[in-house]
Amino acid sequence: MDRIPILKLGGALIVTIQVDMHDRLMLALEEDLTAKIASTGARGVLIEISALEIVDSFIGRMLDNIAAISRVLDAETVVVGMRPAVAITLIELGLNLTGIKTALNVERGMAMIQARLDEDDADGLGSTRAHRED
Amino acid sequence: MRTDSEARVPIAKTDLLPIRSGEDVVRVRQQVRARAIEIGLGLVDQTKIITAASELARNTLDYGGGGEVRIDLVEEGGRKGVRLTFEDQGPGIPDIAQALTDHYTTGGGLGLGLGGAKRLSNEFHIESTLGVGTRITIARWKSR
Amino acid sequence: MEIDGTQVLVRTITDEEPAILMAWLALLKEGGSLQTGRIREAELQTQAKVVLGQLRDALASGQSDFGSEAYASLRETLGEISRSRAIQGFSSTDTAKFVFSLKEPIFEALGRTQAGDASLIAAATRSASRLLDRLGLHTMEVFQTSREEVIGRQTQEIAELSTPVVRLWDGILALPLIGTLDSARTGVVMENLLQAIVDEEAEIAIIDITGVPTVDTLVAQHLLKAIAAARLMGADCIISGIRPQIAQTMVHLGVELNVVSKATLADAFALALRRTGRAVVRKQAAATTASEDRR
């Protein structure tokens, strides 16, 4: 069966969804990601969905699940690149996905994950939670 | 809301697709997309009807034990639309009002399928008989 | 009786066509159809000629039912004329007059040709009257529909034109809303906003509703949905310029306002700059009074 590849970049895992998702593919992704977070100790998961033409309640629930599972495993999930029409439809459907962090593109999403990694490093050094800005 | 007029609406094109597996659900989405583009539905309207189709196709599969969908291109008073009729011979829905309530589910889903599909469509009609099956018709019209 | 009337009518129109046409055009001119300058005499003449010719052909088929196949081309022509009048800005009276002023010339012609036979004149007049009424109604129906189409198109154009999404800064957009929001317009506006967020890669969008007098519950819900959709895409929205009544509506809606709201567009912009790691600093005191003010 096809599987969606998961890339590791520093402390983050990156997934790009580029196919019309059928349900089993999404279930497999949830499993693979869970295993990979545990085995790599990743602190962030970035899911890029700009190629997805629809997100229905099943895919939405899977994204929510992935975010919840990674949170338990101390990793943060950021979903990036959702199309406007998809976002409008999801809201109309009744799915707000409030448990998921979002960003406009991969660059911004990675910056969010990086900020968290930096913060952890800073905590490790015993400094207070310094703000990035002046 | 306009079920009485449905019979009079001329049908320009019809597809009949089976819903027996997860791959069929994907195929239904692709066919609905093709038809929605054909009549010139806007991007948001396209996405809404495809998503609604995905919800209902999955319901047909998961709760109805499989079935089929008819995709009609319809035209009424110069207005074009896509109408989808999902049919299964499953157990039927005992309480339709309850099934339409958000977050009510019997199958471990989110319970947004039926109510969500209704919100994503311009027309929604459901008939269900216990032990006989369920038929759901939705339509989305091109806004002028 | 009925058939008789139609036959007499056909004969009369065929025989007297030039006279009827002339009388009709004279009436139209007299009625001021040309005065507005919206239509030229030659065009009016052609229209009248075509309509009369098609009416004669349709009657010659022996049919008196305006809905029948024989009248298809006449219906089409009349529809075309009404549509163009609707677009040219004719009033409904002017448009209706076009058909109704044909009555008198036909009645006169009937009187001339069937002089003496009162029952024939009566029957033919009845047929003509009934038929021309149908023609007139058809004309008005098409006129009405065309006007509605024009209005519909304009409404949409206004909706698109009146709500520009402006880029305030790199990654910061503003959507100044002005005028009454109905649910259809809000939908268009929101789609534009979300698309602009993608195009401009905007992190923050400010929706300014200073110019919105009232917000009903449906529109408020639309706004909140758009904000939720923007969040899914990875952008934050700030609402600015909410009037007290609108704030009340929103609270009465029972919707939790998980929305950042600022009193003015300027406040919202300042917040947006701060959030994106920027600050506005005065470069140099422009005038002594200004610098004193600051201290």
Short mmCIF file of all heavy atoms in Angstrom, two decimals, chain B residues 45-71:
data_model
loop_
_atom_site.label_atom_id
_atom_site.label_comp_id
_atom_site.label_asym_id
_atom_site.label_seq_id
_atom_site.Cartn_x
_atom_site.Cartn_y
_atom_site.Cartn_z
N ASP B 45 -17.73 27.05 -4.09
CA ASP B 45 -18.90 26.19 -4.27
C ASP B 45 -18.49 24.77 -4.67
O ASP B 45 -19.07 23.80 -4.21
CB ASP B 45 -19.83 26.77 -5.35
CG ASP B 45 -20.59 27.98 -4.83
OD1 ASP B 45 -20.62 28.14 -3.60
OD2 ASP B 45 -21.14 28.73 -5.64
N GLN B 46 -17.48 24.70 -5.54
CA GLN B 46 -16.94 23.39 -5.92
C GLN B 46 -16.50 22.62 -4.68
O GLN B 46 -16.88 21.48 -4.46
CB GLN B 46 -15.67 23.59 -6.74
CG GLN B 46 -15.80 23.58 -8.23
CD GLN B 46 -14.43 23.86 -8.85
OE1 GLN B 46 -13.41 23.31 -8.44
NE2 GLN B 46 -14.41 24.75 -9.81
N THR B 47 -15.68 23.29 -3.89
CA THR B 47 -15.11 22.64 -2.70
C THR B 47 -16.22 22.19 -1.76
O THR B 47 -16.16 21.11 -1.18
CB THR B 47 -14.15 23.61 -1.99
OG1 THR B 47 -13.24 24.14 -2.95
CG2 THR B 47 -13.38 22.91 -0.90
N LYS B 48 -17.27 23.03 -1.64
CA LYS B 48 -18.36 22.67 -0.73
C LYS B 48 -19.09 21.42 -1.21
O LYS B 48 -19.35 20.52 -0.42
CB LYS B 48 -19.33 23.85 -0.61
CG LYS B 48 -18.79 24.95 0.29
CD LYS B 48 -19.78 26.07 0.45
CE LYS B 48 -19.22 27.12 1.41
NZ LYS B 48 -20.07 28.32 1.47
N ILE B 49 -19.43 21.38 -2.50
CA ILE B 49 -20.21 20.23 -2.97
C ILE B 49 -19.35 18.96 -2.97
O ILE B 49 -19.83 17.87 -2.66
CB ILE B 49 -20.87 20.49 -4.36
CG1 ILE B 49 -21.84 19.38 -4.75
CG2 ILE B 49 -19.87 20.67 -5.46
CD1 ILE B 49 -23.13 19.39 -4.02
N ILE B 50 -18.05 19.10 -3.26
CA ILE B 50 -17.18 17.91 -3.24
C ILE B 50 -17.06 17.39 -1.81
O ILE B 50 -17.13 16.18 -1.56
CB ILE B 50 -15.78 18.23 -3.80
CG1 ILE B 50 -15.86 18.68 -5.26
CG2 ILE B 50 -14.86 17.02 -3.68
CD1 ILE B 50 -14.59 19.34 -5.78
N THR B 51 -16.91 18.32 -0.87
CA THR B 51 -16.79 17.90 0.53
C THR B 51 -18.08 17.24 1.01
O THR B 51 -18.04 16.20 1.68
CB THR B 51 -16.44 19.12 1.42
OG1 THR B 51 -15.30 19.78 0.87
CG2 THR B 51 -16.12 18.69 2.83
N ALA B 52 -19.22 17.84 0.63
CA ALA B 52 -20.50 17.24 1.01
C ALA B 52 -20.62 15.84 0.42
O ALA B 52 -21.05 14.89 1.09
CB ALA B 52 -21.65 18.12 0.53
N ALA B 53 -20.18 15.69 -0.85
CA ALA B 53 -20.23 14.38 -1.51
C ALA B 53 -19.36 13.38 -0.76
O ALA B 53 -19.74 12.22 -0.57
CB ALA B 53 -19.77 14.52 -2.97
N SER B 54 -18.20 13.84 -0.33
CA SER B 54 -17.28 12.97 0.39
C SER B 54 -17.91 12.48 1.70
O SER B 54 -17.85 11.29 2.03
CB SER B 54 -15.98 13.73 0.68
OG SER B 54 -15.02 12.88 1.23
N GLU B 55 -18.56 13.41 2.43
CA GLU B 55 -19.22 13.04 3.68
C GLU B 55 -20.30 11.99 3.45
O GLU B 55 -20.38 10.98 4.14
CB GLU B 55 -19.86 14.26 4.34
CG GLU B 55 -18.91 15.38 4.72
CD GLU B 55 -17.93 14.98 5.80
OE1 GLU B 55 -18.29 14.11 6.62
OE2 GLU B 55 -16.82 15.52 5.83
N LEU B 56 -21.15 12.26 2.44
CA LEU B 56 -22.29 11.37 2.22
C LEU B 56 -21.84 10.02 1.64
O LEU B 56 -22.41 8.98 1.98
CB LEU B 56 -23.31 12.04 1.30
CG LEU B 56 -23.98 13.29 1.91
CD1 LEU B 56 -24.95 13.92 0.94
CD2 LEU B 56 -24.69 12.94 3.23
N ALA B 57 -20.81 10.05 0.79
CA ALA B 57 -20.31 8.79 0.23
C ALA B 57 -19.75 7.92 1.36
O ALA B 57 -20.00 6.71 1.41
CB ALA B 57 -19.24 9.07 -0.82
N ARG B 58 -19.05 8.56 2.29
CA ARG B 58 -18.50 7.79 3.41
C ARG B 58 -19.62 7.24 4.29
O ARG B 58 -19.56 6.10 4.75
CB ARG B 58 -17.52 8.63 4.22
CG ARG B 58 -16.85 7.80 5.31
CD ARG B 58 -15.77 8.54 6.05
NE ARG B 58 -14.64 8.86 5.20
CZ ARG B 58 -14.40 10.06 4.72
NH1 ARG B 58 -15.21 11.05 4.99
NH2 ARG B 58 -13.35 10.28 3.98
N ASN B 59 -20.65 8.05 4.51
CA ASN B 59 -21.80 7.57 5.27
C ASN B 59 -22.44 6.36 4.60
O ASN B 59 -22.79 5.39 5.26
CB ASN B 59 -22.86 8.67 5.38
CG ASN B 59 -22.57 9.61 6.54
OD1 ASN B 59 -21.62 9.39 7.29
ND2 ASN B 59 -23.39 10.63 6.67
N THR B 60 -22.62 6.46 3.26
CA THR B 60 -23.21 5.36 2.51
C THR B 60 -22.40 4.08 2.72
O THR B 60 -22.94 3.00 2.91
CB THR B 60 -23.25 5.71 1.00
OG1 THR B 60 -23.98 6.91 0.85
CG2 THR B 60 -23.90 4.60 0.20
N LEU B 61 -21.07 4.25 2.72
CA LEU B 61 -20.18 3.11 2.88
C LEU B 61 -20.20 2.57 4.32
O LEU B 61 -20.40 1.38 4.54
CB LEU B 61 -18.76 3.55 2.50
CG LEU B 61 -17.70 2.47 2.41
CD1 LEU B 61 -18.02 1.49 1.29
CD2 LEU B 61 -16.33 3.11 2.16
N ASP B 62 -20.04 3.48 5.27
CA ASP B 62 -19.87 3.05 6.67
C ASP B 62 -21.19 2.63 7.33
O ASP B 62 -21.22 1.68 8.09
CB ASP B 62 -19.25 4.19 7.50
CG ASP B 62 -17.80 4.45 7.09
OD1 ASP B 62 -17.27 3.63 6.31
OD2 ASP B 62 -17.23 5.45 7.54
N TYR B 63 -22.26 3.39 7.05
CA TYR B 63 -23.52 3.10 7.76
C TYR B 63 -24.52 2.35 6.89
O TYR B 63 -25.35 1.62 7.39
CB TYR B 63 -24.15 4.41 8.25
CG TYR B 63 -23.25 5.18 9.18
CD1 TYR B 63 -22.57 6.30 8.74
CD2 TYR B 63 -23.08 4.77 10.51
CE1 TYR B 63 -21.72 7.00 9.59
CE2 TYR B 63 -22.24 5.46 11.36
CZ TYR B 63 -21.56 6.59 10.90
OH TYR B 63 -20.74 7.27 11.74
N GLY B 64 -24.43 2.56 5.58
CA GLY B 64 -25.40 1.92 4.69
C GLY B 64 -24.90 0.61 4.11
O GLY B 64 -25.61 -0.05 3.36
N GLY B 65 -23.64 0.26 4.45
CA GLY B 65 -23.08 -0.97 3.92
C GLY B 65 -22.82 -0.90 2.42
O GLY B 65 -22.85 -1.91 1.72
N GLY B 66 -22.58 0.29 1.91
CA GLY B 66 -22.33 0.46 0.48
C GLY B 66 -23.60 0.79 -0.26
O GLY B 66 -24.70 0.60 0.27
N GLY B 67 -23.44 1.32 -1.46
CA GLY B 67 -24.59 1.72 -2.25
C GLY B 67 -24.10 2.38 -3.52
O GLY B 67 -23.07 1.98 -4.07
N GLU B 68 -24.86 3.39 -3.95
CA GLU B 68 -24.42 4.07 -5.16
C GLU B 68 -24.84 5.54 -5.13
O GLU B 68 -25.68 5.94 -4.32
CB GLU B 68 -25.00 3.39 -6.41
CG GLU B 68 -26.50 3.36 -6.40
CD GLU B 68 -27.06 2.63 -7.63
OE1 GLU B 68 -26.34 1.81 -8.21
OE2 GLU B 68 -28.21 2.94 -7.98
N VAL B 69 -24.23 6.30 -6.03
CA VAL B 69 -24.58 7.71 -6.12
C VAL B 69 -24.88 8.05 -7.57
O VAL B 69 -24.23 7.56 -8.48
CB VAL B 69 -23.44 8.61 -5.59
CG1 VAL B 69 -22.15 8.42 -6.36
CG2 VAL B 69 -23.86 10.09 -5.65
N ARG B 70 -25.93 8.87 -7.75
CA ARG B 70 -26.23 9.37 -9.08
C ARG B 70 -25.87 10.84 -9.12
O ARG B 70 -26.27 11.62 -8.26
CB ARG B 70 -27.73 9.18 -9.37
CG ARG B 70 -28.01 9.13 -10.88
CD ARG B 70 -29.47 8.88 -11.15
NE ARG B 70 -30.22 10.10 -10.90
CZ ARG B 70 -31.41 10.13 -10.31
NH1 ARG B 70 -31.97 9.01 -9.89
NH2 ARG B 70 -32.02 11.26 -10.12
N ILE B 71 -25.07 11.21 -10.11
CA ILE B 71 -24.65 12.61 -10.24
C ILE B 71 -25.37 13.20 -11.45
O ILE B 71 -25.15 12.77 -12.57
CB ILE B 71 -23.12 12.71 -10.43
CG1 ILE B 71 -22.39 11.98 -9.31
CG2 ILE B 71 -22.68 14.17 -10.50
CD1 ILE B 71 -20.90 11.80 -9.53
#
